[in-house]
Amino acid sequence: MSRWARRFVLAIVFGVAGFDIVSGIRLLTVDEPWLLAGYATSWNALPATVRADGGVRAFVAGPYRRVGAFSLHTGVVTLVWAILARNDRRLLTVLLVVYTLSGVVMFSVDWAYTRGTGYIVLKQVIGTLWAMAVMAHLYSASAWRRRA
């Protein structure tokens, strides 16, 4: 893999890992995690009396904290995997493929619940950057094989 392609791919992977880490920390630490990431649309659709109920707020906070823990974990694992794969084309390929497949699933869930928000636009930008990283990685690998 060429140096520019590896740096480009790793910069995007590190950026996505950082985004996941920050998102996870935010979901774990804010008082109303349902107001982050465009989910306010679903929350605000509830009647005001339901939104004000302390039991409902505590019940709803649980899944958001769990998503935050998962996001933090995913970001850390991605970062470690990328560091270990930085000089191993096959391992980096596996990372890109696994995260592409899981990313499509995650995006479909985000699309269902945050359509029409700035968050889904951000996720589309991240997805586009990820696709560019995959293309750069695969193109660089095919160019490397042609030279051999």
Side-chain angles (χ1 to χ4, degrees):
M1 175 186 289
S2 71
R3 183 182 296 185
W4 73 266
R6 186 176 66 238
R7 286 182 179 170
F8 179 75
V9 169
L10 289 173
I12 291 171
V13 172
F14 289 155
V16 170
F19 174 79
D20 284 340
I21 290 168
V22 169
S23 295
I25 290 170
R26 289 182 68 208
L27 285 167
L28 286 167
T29 59
V30 299
D31 292 332
E32 297 178 319
W34 48 84
L35 296 180
L36 297 176
Y39 294 108
T41 306
S42 300
W43 178 255
N44 290 331
L46 296 172
T49 55
V50 173
R51 290 193 315 258
D53 184 287
V56 170
R57 295 170 72 84
F59 176 75
V60 171
Y64 281 99
R65 301 288 189 234
R66 182 113 172 114
V67 169
F70 177 76
S71 185
L72 177 60
H73 168 79
T74 301
V76 170
V77 169
T78 305
L79 187 63
V80 170
W81 191 350
I83 290 168
L84 294 174
R86 71 185 180 276
N87 294 317
D88 185 332
R89 187 177 57 80
R90 288 183 186 164
L91 193 55
L92 190 55
T93 301
V94 172
L95 180 149
L96 291 169
V97 169
V98 167
Y99 279 67
T100 297
L101 295 174
S102 63
V104 168
V105 174
M106 293 295 289
F107 181 79
S108 68
V109 172
D110 288 337
W111 182 259
Y113 294 102
T114 64
R115 186 178 15 221
T117 67
Y119 178 75
I120 202 66
V121 173
L122 175 62
K123 293 296 278 197
Q124 288 171 320
V125 169
I126 290 170
T128 300
L129 290 171
W130 193 267
M132 290 169 60
V134 171
M135 289 186 302
H137 179 72
L138 296 176
Y139 173 78
S140 179
S142 68
W144 177 77
R145 278 195 298 272
R146 282 193 303 267
R147 280 186 250 140

